[in-house]
């Protein structure tokens, strides 16, 4: 057995020896061949006789380089542009062409790079750094673009414009050297557009997307709600952001920015009126405007009356005039929060300085953490310094500091640098402030949800704030009364001006209908609740009649056979034909509407809807989908629901909900033309909504 094993080992070692010798001989032969005959792609030009196909160079680099023999066994390649030399053949070793390709493809050649910056090449997908485009070689070009993928310069320019739009980059980024160098590393063939070309590309994207959005708006069955937000610039120019809110044919909620209008004098009556007229004309919304929401910034009564006349529902008494809402929900909450924070500004400043002390250095932070462990404080919140321009950051800073107040109270015993003087009474006041700021914070946070909330969700949030502030204003504690009473007065005004339209919206929720309205009004209005409930019921009925009229007249105009059908019915004796009076255009409608206004045996859609049992409440409920499914059962109410549920209560975007200052346009953007500014802002909003 041992001999057999020994014999096998001997054979294996012997085979390995032979294999090693064979490899060395093969390598020597390959070196000899390489010395005598270079690779077909890198053959040195042969002077004298005409080279055959085997001697012809195929590499693209030879359009840019010339090889020269400097002596025995030494040949170098020279760049035709900058005359720099590179090793090519030394003794028997061939350097190859990779380093030559890098010289031209990465823009290392200064002369070639400067020529490319001066020339504009046609969009052929060819090599953009080519000095002579006619000499480009498609086969080799595919190697430069990677894995045979063709280069699309038009697509690159489109994506650069999209990048500028999405990330608010300045248009002149395409001329910044850092951007140019970075792009050329990624794709040497791409020659960034000039500044004017990028601007044109951005406007072209905007116009294409605007047409797509217009196609959607043109076919929606309902009406459109608008909000107006006023922004300013350092040059005291005004910019009005007009945002549309509507439900499309598939019952999806949309809220795109429609226009950004530059108004040199924001307070003037004509400028704001013209802004709205421009929007209605651009988007074919004449006669299709349902509600208009704006902010206190537009305070002129003349302006308000002019805007009211543009509403599709001309009757100013309907819904107590709340189809024109002059109170932005987010702005109201921000003003209340800012007032509360200002009232306690000195104490808040002490808290802020304490947080800054801990965050200012690692030693301070370590001492704070050590003390936290010693005191066994269970909180896991992280301290953060607030942004005074966003009140939610101040609220969150105060909440975190209150949870860690025990550490701050004892911090001076372990950290001699800490000298803040926050007493227990100070901390108690901060905690009280946070209690009421939380109501405002929760009420505002709903505006940051994605997707954007429908209007039926706001009644409960607004009424909750109203109830809490009302109860707090009655507390005998002097500090709480002084802090909350001004807030309650201001919010109570907003509640009375907005509760009707919000109640109409929640009545369109099959989980609540009028029940939540009745319960809430009993708490907020007490013995006057019945009068307020009747206003909501009358508002619902007025809307139902208004929409029934519109739908009936639309159906009549589109159906020439209605008169024949009515006459045949009269002949059968089933109705009183005396209702139809010659010369009265609405006599047939009076007959139509009499069934649910004067006939107690007939129940309208509205009555049937309100009398049906409430839908069981569920955590996940899509109200728009519910109305889509029940549209055939409630055709008129579903049309009302699409307009009511899309009506906005706030003029601000989700990112500006907690702002305490009016939005500003920076100096660069305010220097752009009106069309370019509108294109950049609107297109970004439309991209993000996708």
């Amino acid at each position: 057995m041992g001999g057999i094993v020994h014999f096998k080992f001997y054979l294996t070692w012997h085979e390995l020896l032979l294999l090693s010798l064979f490899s060395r001989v093969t390598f020597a032969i390959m070196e000899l061949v390489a010395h005598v005959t270079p690779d077909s792609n890198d053959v040195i030009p042969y002077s004298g006789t005409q080279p055959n196909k085997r001697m012809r160079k195929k590499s693209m680099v030879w359009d840019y380089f010339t090889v020269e023999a400097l002596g025995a066994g030494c040949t170098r390649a020279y760049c035709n542009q900058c005359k720099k030399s590179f090793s090519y053949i030394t003794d028997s070793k061939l350097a190859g062409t990779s380093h030559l390709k890098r010289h031209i493809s990465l823009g290392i050649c200064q002369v070639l790079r400067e020529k490319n910056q001066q020339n504009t090449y046609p969009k052929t997908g060819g090599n953009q750094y080519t000095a002579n485009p006619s000499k480009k070689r498609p086969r080799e070009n595919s190697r430069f673009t990677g894995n045979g993928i063709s280069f699309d310069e038009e697509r690159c320019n489109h994506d650069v414009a999209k990048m500028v739009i999405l990330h608010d980059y300045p248009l002149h980024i395409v001329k910044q050297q850092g951007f140019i160098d970075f792009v050329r590393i990624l794709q040497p063939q791409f020659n960034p557009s000039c500044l004017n070309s990028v601007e044109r590309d951005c406007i072209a994207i905007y116009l294409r997307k605007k047409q797509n959005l217009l196609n959607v708006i043109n076919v929606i069955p309902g009406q459109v709600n608008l909000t107006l937000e006023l922004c300013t610039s350092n040059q005291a120019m005004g910019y009005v952001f007009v945002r549309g809110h509507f439900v499309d044919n598939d019952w999806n909620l949309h809220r795109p920015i429609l226009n950004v209008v530059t108004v040199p004098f924001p307070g003037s009556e004509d400028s704001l009126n013209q802004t709205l007229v421009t929007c209605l004309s651009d988007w074919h919304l004449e006669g299709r405007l349902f509600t208009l929401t704006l902010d206190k910034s537009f305070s002129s009564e003349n302006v308000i009356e002019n805007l009211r006349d543009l509403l599709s529902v001309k009757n100013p008494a309907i819904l107590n005039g709340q189809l024109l809402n002059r109170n932005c929900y987010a702005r109201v909450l921000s003003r209340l929060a800012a007032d509360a924070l200002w009232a306690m500004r000195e104490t808040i400043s002490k808290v802020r300085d304490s947080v800054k002390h801990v965050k200012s250095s690692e030693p301070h932070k370590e001492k704070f953490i050590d003390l936290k462990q010693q005191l066994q404080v269970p909180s896991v919140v992280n301290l953060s310094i607030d942004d005074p321009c966003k009140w939610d950051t101040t609220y969150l800073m105060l909440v975190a500091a209150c949870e860690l107040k025990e550490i701050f109270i004892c911090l001076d015993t372990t950290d001699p640098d800490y000298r803040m003087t926050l007493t227990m009474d100070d901390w108690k006041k901060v905690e009280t402030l946070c209690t009421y700021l939380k109501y405002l914070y929760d009420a505002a946070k709903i505006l940051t949800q994605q997707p954007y909330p429908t209007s039926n969700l706001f009644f409960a949030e607004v009424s909750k704030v109203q109830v809490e502030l009302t109860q707090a204003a009655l507390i005998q504690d002097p500090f709480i009364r002084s802090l909350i009473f001004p807030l309650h007065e201001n919010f109570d005004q907003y509640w009375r001006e907005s509760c009707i339209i919000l109640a109409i919206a929640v009545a369109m929720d099959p989980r609540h209908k009028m029940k939540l309205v009745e319960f809430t009004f009993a708490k907020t209005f007490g013995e006057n609740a019945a009068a307020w409930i009747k206003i909501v019921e009358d508002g619902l009925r007025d809307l139902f009649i208004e929409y029934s009229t519109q739908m009936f007249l639309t159906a009549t105009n589109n159906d020439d056979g209605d008169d024949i059908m009515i006459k045949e019915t009269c002949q059968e004796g089933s109705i009183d034909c005396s209702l139809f009076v010659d010369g009265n255009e609405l006599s047939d409608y009076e007959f139509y509407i009499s069934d649910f206004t004067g006939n107690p045996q007939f129940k309208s859609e509205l009555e049937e809807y309100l009398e049906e049992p409430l839908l069981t409440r569920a955590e996940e409920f899509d109200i728009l989908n519910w109305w889509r499914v029940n549209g055939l059962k409630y055709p008129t109410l579903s049309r009302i629901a699409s307009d009511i549920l899309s009506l906005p209560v706030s003029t601000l975007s989700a990112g500006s909900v907690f702002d305490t200052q009016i939005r500003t346009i920076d100096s660069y953007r305010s220097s752009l033309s009106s069309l370019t500014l509108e294109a950049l802002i609107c297109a970004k909003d439309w991209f993000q909504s996708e």
Side-chain angles (χ1 to χ4, degrees), residues 676-687:
T676 302
L677 179 64
E678 182 175 62
L680 293 175
I681 293 175
C682 290
K684 178 182 179 180
D685 179 75
W686 300 341
F687 273 125

Side-chain angles (χ1 to χ4, degrees), residues 344 347 405 409 422-432 477 479:
M344 288 189 58
T347 304
K405 65 179 181 179
I409 292 173
L422 276 163
T423 65
M424 288 298 296
D425 185 58
D426 289 334
W427 285 112
K428 183 178 179 180
K429 290 181 179 179
V430 172
E431 289 176 335
T432 301
D477 183 282
F479 170 72

Side-chain angles (χ1 to χ4, degrees), residues 602-616:
F602 181 84
K603 289 185 179 181
S604 67
E605 283 180 38
L606 178 60
E607 291 171 328
E608 287 186 359
Y609 167 75
L610 293 177
E611 290 178 5
E612 283 191 350
L614 298 180
L615 194 68
T616 303

Side-chain angles (χ1 to χ4, degrees), residues 41-99:
N41 284 346
D42 302 301
V43 175
I44 305 173
Y46 183 81
S47 58
T49 61
Q50 179 68 24
N52 56 27
K53 291 183 179 180
R54 183 174 179 274
M55 298 293 291
R56 193 171 300 153
K57 304 188 305 299
K58 296 180 181 179
S59 177
M60 192 177 184
V61 299
W62 301 120
D63 289 337
Y64 308 96
F65 289 89
T66 302
V67 293
E68 295 182 9
L70 300 182
C74 181
T75 303
R76 297 186 66 82
Y78 289 84
C79 175
N80 297 332
Q81 303 296 326
C82 64
K83 307 306 179 183
K84 184 177 180 180
S85 67
F86 299 84
S87 61
Y88 184 53
I89 296 178
T90 303
D91 296 330
S92 61
K93 295 182 179 180
L94 181 66
T97 59
S98 297
H99 60 307

Side-chain angles (χ1 to χ4, degrees), residues 168 232-235 239 664-671 677:
D168 297 329
T232 60
S233 69
N234 295 334
Q235 291 77 23
Y239 301 87
T664 58
I665 302 296
D666 60 49
S667 300
Y668 166 72
R669 291 213 154 193
S670 61
S671 68
L677 179 64

Side-chain angles (χ1 to χ4, degrees), residues 27-48:
F27 181 78
I29 294 174
M30 290 175 65
E31 280 192 329
L32 180 61
V33 172
H35 177 70
V36 176
T37 308
D39 181 76
S40 60
N41 284 346
D42 302 301
V43 175
I44 305 173
Y46 183 81
S47 58

